[in-house]
Amino acid sequence: MSLKKMIEEKFPQQTNEDWEQSAEKALKGKSLETLSRNTYENIKLKPLYSREDLTEIPLSQYPGAEDFRRGSYAAGYLGEEWKVAQKVSASASEELAEKLLAAVAKGQTALAFQPEQLTNPEKISIAVGELYKKYPFSVDAAQSHRQLIQELGRLSESEKISGYIAADPLAIAAADKLNDRSIDELYENLNETAHSAAEHMPSLKTIMVNTAVYHNGGANGVQELAFALAAGVNHLQYFLGKGKKIEEILSKMLFKFAVGSNFFMEIAKLRAAKVLWGKVAEVYGAERDSKKIVISAETSSFTKSAYDPYVNVLRAGNEAFAAVLGGVQFLHVSPYNEPEGAYSPFSDRIARNTQLILMEEAHLLKVSDPAGGSWYVEHLTNELIDKAWELFLEIEELGGMAEALLTGWVQSQISQVHEKKQKDVHTRKKSIIGTNIYANPDEKPLQIEAEKTIENSKNVFKPIPQVRLSESFEGLRSLSEKLKEKGTRPQAGLICLGELKNHKARADFIAGFLAPGGVEAVRSGSVVNPEDAKAFIQETNCRHYFICGSNDQYDSMAVPLIKQLKESFPSAAIYLAGLPEESKRDEFKGAGIRGYIHVKSDCYETLLKMLNEMEVANNGQ
């Protein structure tokens, strides 16, 4: 073929129908529908997206153009870099001063810390030194808001303070176990603090909409967006009632989001937030630039685990990448040992460098909205916009966000989603690497203090628990460790039928099924008759046994084997690896089988029952 012919050569035009035919052929008779997935947002994800999925809404062509989903500025991060806002952990202002200096020397570009950890916040001016003249603040001040603003207002050049030191009265009350102050009282504190800050620190944002509280309670993306809008409107209505102008209020507001593990959903969530808030601001008559949202993001604490904690580095990296592609202005990446509540120089450095890699090595500073134009991301963004707006209107009909929290409606909505997520983790439909799948039974976890239960009859409303999705399985490991401390090693026997090729797949599956509970799988040799199995049980003396073999072996020998083992060892709980046909289950049940362990089994409930039975047996010795 000549060069000219090669240049003129074109790929044949392909249609959706062509792809569908090829896909169905590859699926070998299965329906294309099997490739679709439903998300926790009740959004159906298709296997392929194309131009036809965006026929109703025209695609934004340029970053900086309304509706701002592609970013507030045409040049993106080329014009304004996102701020590396790693929260510095310190208990005293003197320690904070030292750590902030070290952090900015290593690439930090915002003054971020956790004020609730400080024992002497009245010395905050010592901590920030001269840094506030060069770096913006990035502080969720919560209940320390008033004191921080008062102390920083005394600085000689306080007018140079920028960034945000902000609070959200609704989020403070929602996350606080001792929320014995009324929402009205919290708003009054915010009003006084914001007024004081406006006088001394005109460039500082002080009013926050904090959706991380809902995210870390288990909310889905639609709920986070709807709650953000409803909380934002609640703030606007309050301050308008105090005589503030809409432009003045909007200039002091920012939104804080936690970014979870569903990569594309989180990108779309942040893009949708820009569109939705612009829509709200427009209704209030805001000018063009006032419609632009400022977003501070942090990687999710909900997704982090105490076991196999270095996997948290990968989780945080994935979440940070999504946050940047979603277009944030401030970003905190959680250190891998964040569940412990205290960081180390090593974990701090790895977390900070995650952002620096995205900046310097992944070159994300040099592109504007790389996700823009993706049929999938754009469609997902539109889906979130529609569903979140619908839920927001429902909240407004209930009387607004404050009223929805006071009546427990918000808490109930979040709880329903969290229960779905937890069920999927328990059945391992949703994986947590190193926790409910590929777990190491001998591994030591991060040291997490047990949270004390606090009774408070003065609660204004039921708080939203701040949880991690891995906690239930971590509880299983705790039970396992307690058994070990009492001298009992949690073990279960695997009765392996016949040759290795017949039982290996199911034996490996059961070993992996047991590991998340810290239960060791003890495998038999090749079992070819009941005597082999009896000898193995006598040798191991476990409480639980799993028969592992092929379907043909189950048909030929499993039922009589189970009967004989139950006659000889009536206290042994015997399970079958796999799920036989329904017509055969009565026969297995009559033989004495305890249950079937397969890919859809509830791993958590099974292991919890086993460990409790081991503990009872241990106490009875």
Side-chain angles (χ1 to χ4, degrees), residues 104-120:
V104 297
K106 295 171 183 174
Q108 181 116 338
T109 56
L111 306 179
F113 55 92
Q114 301 174 81
E116 67 274 12
Q117 293 183 345
L118 292 177
T119 56
N120 56 346

Side-chain angles (χ1 to χ4, degrees), residues 121-172:
E122 70 280 358
K123 295 184 178 180
I124 188 65
S125 58
I126 295 174
V128 300
E130 298 291 309
L131 292 174
Y132 72 93
K133 298 177 183 178
K134 185 177 180 181
Y135 301 99
F137 279 90
S138 175
V139 178
D140 179 356
Q143 304 201 48
S144 304
H145 198 202
R146 174 182 287 183
Q147 188 170 18
L148 288 178
I149 294 298
Q150 285 177 344
E151 296 300 328
L152 291 171
R154 296 190 176 101
L155 290 168
S156 60
E157 296 181 83
S158 61
E159 70 279 1
K160 293 184 178 179
I161 291 175
S162 62
Y164 72 89
I165 301 175
D168 178 352
L170 299 175
I172 291 170

Side-chain angles (χ1 to χ4, degrees), residues 500-537:
L500 182 66
K501 65 180 181 181
N502 292 325
H503 64 248
K504 186 179 187 305
R506 280 177 166 155
D508 287 347
F509 170 76
I510 294 298
F513 187 91
L514 296 172
V519 179
E520 179 186 358
V522 181
R523 305 190 191 210
S524 71
S526 178
V527 171
V528 296
N529 54 54
E531 285 67 34
D532 293 338
K534 289 177 185 178
F536 174 63
I537 292 177

Side-chain angles (χ1 to χ4, degrees), residues 269-290:
K269 180 179 81 178
L270 296 173
R271 301 173 93 246
K274 300 169 192 175
V275 178
L276 287 164
W277 186 243
K279 192 174 181 178
V280 168
E282 184 176 1
V283 170
Y284 278 92
E287 296 177 1
R288 183 183 185 278
D289 283 350
S290 296

Side-chain angles (χ1 to χ4, degrees), residues 28-209:
K28 297 179 180 177
K30 288 184 181 179
S31 165
L32 273 177
E33 189 66 22
T34 60
L35 298 178
S36 297
R37 296 290 182 269
N38 285 313
T39 73
Y40 295 112
E41 291 78 11
N42 198 28
I43 294 173
K44 185 176 181 179
L45 300 181
K46 303 192 304 179
L48 180 70
Y49 288 83
S50 64
R51 185 185 299 274
E52 285 71 27
D53 291 296
L54 291 174
T55 54
E56 295 180 5
I57 302 175
L59 197 62
S60 298
Q61 293 300 311
Y62 304 105
E66 292 193 59
D67 53 18
F68 301 119
R69 72 178 66 201
R70 302 203 63 185
S72 298
Y73 306 101
Y77 294 130
L78 280 169
E80 185 70 30
E81 297 181 5
W82 81 83
K83 300 297 184 289
V84 179
Q86 293 298 129
K87 297 176 191 174
V88 171
S89 177
S91 59
S93 292
E94 294 79 6
E95 179 189 7
L96 180 59
E98 184 180 330
K99 287 189 173 181
L100 283 175
L101 279 170
V104 297
K106 295 171 183 174
Q108 181 116 338
T109 56
L111 306 179
F113 55 92
Q114 301 174 81
E116 67 274 12
Q117 293 183 345
L118 292 177
T119 56
N120 56 346
E122 70 280 358
K123 295 184 178 180
I124 188 65
S125 58
I126 295 174
V128 300
E130 298 291 309
L131 292 174
Y132 72 93
K133 298 177 183 178
K134 185 177 180 181
Y135 301 99
F137 279 90
S138 175
V139 178
D140 179 356
Q143 304 201 48
S144 304
H145 198 202
R146 174 182 287 183
Q147 188 170 18
L148 288 178
I149 294 298
Q150 285 177 344
E151 296 300 328
L152 291 171
R154 296 190 176 101
L155 290 168
S156 60
E157 296 181 83
S158 61
E159 70 279 1
K160 293 184 178 179
I161 291 175
S162 62
Y164 72 89
I165 301 175
D168 178 352
L170 299 175
I172 291 170
D176 189 7
K177 297 182 188 65
L178 294 173
N179 57 13
D180 51 359
R181 291 189 295 168
S182 71
I183 290 175
D184 288 341
E185 184 182 349
L186 291 167
Y187 264 113
E188 283 300 319
N189 287 339
L190 175 60
N191 183 38
E192 293 171 12
T193 304
H195 180 75
S196 173
E199 287 185 351
H200 303 287
M201 297 161 257
S203 299
L204 187 71
K205 294 184 182 295
T206 50
I207 305 169
M208 175 182 285
V209 175

Side-chain angles (χ1 to χ4, degrees), residues 290-359:
S290 296
K291 297 176 190 176
K292 297 176 180 179
I293 188 175
V294 175
I295 298 177
S296 176
E298 62 184 26
T299 55
S300 171
S301 64
F302 184 73
T303 62
K304 304 307 181 291
S305 63
Y307 282 90
D308 210 351
Y310 291 115
V311 178
N312 290 338
V313 176
L314 304 177
R315 295 184 181 114
N318 173 70
E319 293 161 3
F321 192 17
V324 173
L325 295 190
V328 302
Q329 282 68 54
F330 297 86
L331 178 60
H332 163 77
V333 176
S334 54
Y336 74 87
N337 59 344
E338 183 186 55
E340 290 183 315
Y343 313 148
S344 65
F346 174 73
S347 64
D348 266 339
R349 182 176 179 83
I350 295 298
R352 187 183 304 108
N353 283 353
T354 298
Q355 294 201 54
L356 298 179
I357 286 172
L358 294 176
M359 284 182 162

